Amino acid sequence: MFRLKENHTNTKTELMAGITTFFTMVYIVVVNPVILADAGVPFEQVFSATIIAALAGTLWMGLFANYPIAIAPGMGLNAYFAYSVVGGHQGISYQTAFAAVFVAGIIFVILSLTPFREKLIEAIPENLKHGITAGIGLFIAFIGLRQTKIITAHPSNLVGLGDLHSSSALLAIVGLAVTLILMVLRVNGALFFGMIVTGVIAYFTGQLSFDKGLMSLPSLPEGMMIGNPITAFGDVIGHSLYAVVFSFILVTIFDTTGTMIGVANQAGLMKGDKLPRARQALLSDSIATMVGSIFGTSPTTAFIESTSGVAAGGRTGLTSVTVAVLFLVSAFFGPLVSAVSGIAAITAPALIIVGSLMMGSIAKINWNELDEAFPAFLTVLSMPLTSSISTGIALGFISFPILKLVKGKWREIHPLLYVFSVLFFIQLAFLQF
């Protein structure tokens, strides 16, 4: 079913890759409820909804697209939901905001059923694709360094070196050293075993504890957030939430598209400028966004942490199915998942190492042509500095056609690139979040 031999992999490798991806991204089932709680949504509601959305999207990705890419509610989009949509609009309840997410999901599904999103992948210039991959690599490495406080905020320089004597930094450095040694020795599942060793050290040094037990039953205290689709459309029209829906769609499209290109490039799954089974893959996040909004969570996206599973050898949908099954199991192990995902140093070494692996794409950029190189450079640079994949893509999309026009090469640019250059300019100038 998953064509393991054809993809030069085996069941053990795929299962190990799925476990690795799960543990690098499972923090979302705790972080997402914490952020949406600021909008008034009950923690238990979002915890369960996050798992349902991740389960729907990741299972679809594994079973229908056969890719090792996991789907879950996206960071950034949840903050926009909580602080800009609900917090920034008087009279907008979180129930109404979920209606906007649902409408965006419906439109998203329709777009995914057309050739539009596949054409978009083909329209992205080769150098920008390499820039997206490298930029995501820098971004996730920076996330790992920031989460463990190896890198911290600085009053003058914005960022600076943290306290390397802190327990979090020391644990991350030891975990990084152990994982790198296993990687260099070519141990199968090195990233996963590195996390296991780091977790054991965290437990015996008192950083990891299970005070709240290991298991609890999941619940949806408010039931379904969207009971009637017609009412949802009515809420969006009644509160004029068109800009909100537009922002959700635009950012999610490019978060997911960029991540899929980055992961597929790393796994060697791209066929020239095309992604095989792109439509099936791109349907996964749109379906998950729609399903997630019904139960109470913000829009979903492909997770950049999927690269950790690819680095561990994942090449097929069996990796994604493994992730989905683990998400389902995690619904009954809320306290355990919360304890492990609360220690960033356990998963951070995997993010840092995967970031270094993804940086290999930077060598494929044509640095001899400034009109090709600078948009790619801007994409690479801005992703970690703005903490946003879509912003990096936006700046690349805006600068690329401008430089080509100046050089008289406007015919080389796909028409879709012009369209999204204008849309991104509007989004950054007037709808920024």
Side-chain angles (χ1 to χ4, degrees):
M1 179 179 178
F2 297 106
R3 302 196 292 276
L4 300 181
K5 287 184 179 178
E6 184 183 322
N7 287 284
H8 310 293
T9 184
N10 56 60
T11 303
K12 180 183 174 183
T13 300
E14 294 293 302
L15 294 177
M16 199 69 76
I19 294 169
T20 301
T21 296
F22 173 76
F23 277 109
T24 56
M25 68 177 287
V26 69
Y27 68 84
I28 195 65
V29 302
V30 176
V31 175
N32 198 44
V34 167
I35 291 174
L36 294 192
D38 288 343
V41 194
F43 184 95
E44 295 80 7
Q45 181 82 24
V46 187
F47 177 82
S48 298
T50 300
I51 290 170
I52 291 169
L55 189 64
T58 307
L59 263 184
W60 183 282
M61 180 70 76
L63 295 176
F64 296 101
N66 197 27
Y67 284 132
I69 301 172
I71 305 291
M75 293 295 292
L77 289 162
N78 49 13
Y80 174 58
F81 179 98
Y83 307 121
S84 296
V85 180
V86 178
H89 292 77
Q90 285 189 344
I92 301 296
S93 65
Y94 61 80
Q95 291 91 344
T96 303
F98 282 128
V101 178
F102 177 78
V103 171
I106 292 284
I107 297 170
F108 212 16
V109 169
I110 294 168
L111 288 175
S112 300
L113 286 170
T114 69
F116 168 76
R117 293 182 73 187
E118 293 177 68
K119 295 293 182 187
L120 180 59
I121 290 177
E122 296 170 24
I124 300 174
E126 202 64 30
N127 284 293
L128 275 185
K129 283 178 180 170
H130 296 315
I132 289 167
T133 304
I136 290 173
L138 267 185
F139 181 27
I140 63 173
F142 182 63
I143 289 172
L145 292 169
R146 193 181 63 194
Q147 283 179 342
T148 54
K149 298 197 169 44
I150 292 174
I151 296 294
T152 57
H154 190 278
S156 305
N157 301 324
L158 296 182
V159 293
L161 189 64
D163 179 11
L164 298 185
H165 297 98
S166 70
S167 56
S168 177
L170 279 173
L171 180 61
I173 291 167
V174 171
L176 184 61
V178 169
T179 310
L180 280 171
I181 290 168
L182 293 174
M183 293 278 288
V184 169
L185 294 175
R186 299 186 181 278
V187 174
N188 287 330
L191 289 171
F192 173 67
F193 289 123
M195 283 190 281
I196 292 292
V197 172
T198 311
V200 171
I201 294 170
Y203 180 78
F204 284 107
T205 55
Q207 296 180 59
L208 177 62
S209 61
F210 305 103
D211 299 334
K212 296 180 180 178
L214 301 177
M215 296 183 68
S216 64
L217 287 173
S219 64
L220 285 166
E222 298 200 2
M224 290 169 58
M225 291 289 181
I226 308 294
N228 186 338
I230 297 172
T231 304
F233 277 90
D235 286 342
V236 168
I237 295 167
H239 291 88
S240 300
L241 295 177
Y242 310 114
V244 172
V245 172
F246 172 73
S247 290
F248 278 145
I249 292 170
L250 192 62
V251 174
T252 309
I253 281 177
F254 282 93
D255 253 3
T256 301
T257 304
T259 301
M260 283 188 186
I261 289 171
V263 177
N265 262 334
Q266 189 194 355
L269 300 171
M270 295 286 288
K271 305 295 182 187
D273 64 346
K274 295 186 178 182
L275 181 68
R277 305 179 303 283
R279 190 172 301 183
Q280 295 93 317
L282 294 166
L283 266 169
S284 59
D285 63 328
S286 51
I287 288 170
T289 291
M290 190 174 65
V291 171
S293 66
I294 291 172
F295 292 97
T297 188
S298 46
T300 62
T301 183
F303 256 60
I304 52 177
E305 285 82 357
S306 303
T307 52
S308 62
V310 170
R315 292 294 180 273
T316 74
L318 183 54
T319 294
S320 296
V321 171
T322 303
V323 175
V325 170
L326 289 173
F327 266 114
L328 180 60
V329 172
S330 73
F332 300 92
F333 287 89
L336 172 64
V337 170
S338 178
V340 174
S341 62
I343 309 298
I346 294 174
T347 55
L351 298 182
I352 296 166
I353 291 169
V354 170
S356 75
L357 297 175
M358 295 187 73
M359 281 299 292
S361 292
I362 212 163
K364 300 173 185 175
I365 296 171
N366 180 9
W367 294 106
N368 296 320
E369 298 289 337
L370 192 61
D371 57 325
E372 292 279 344
F374 187 79
F377 164 75
L378 200 57
T379 300
V380 173
L381 182 69
S382 54
M383 281 189 190
L385 294 185
T386 63
S387 294
S388 169
I389 293 171
S390 60
T391 300
I393 295 172
L395 293 175
F397 265 49
I398 292 169
S399 59
F400 193 91
I402 292 173
L403 293 177
K404 288 292 184 183
L405 283 168
V406 169
K407 206 168 180 182
K409 295 182 177 179
W410 58 273
R411 290 185 183 86
E412 293 181 8
I413 302 172
H414 196 287
L416 272 177
L417 208 64
Y418 287 116
V419 172
F420 277 99
S421 177
V422 172
L423 290 177
F424 269 127
F425 177 79
I426 293 169
Q427 198 257 340
L428 288 178
F430 305 108
L431 305 171
Q432 186 180 0
F433 66 84

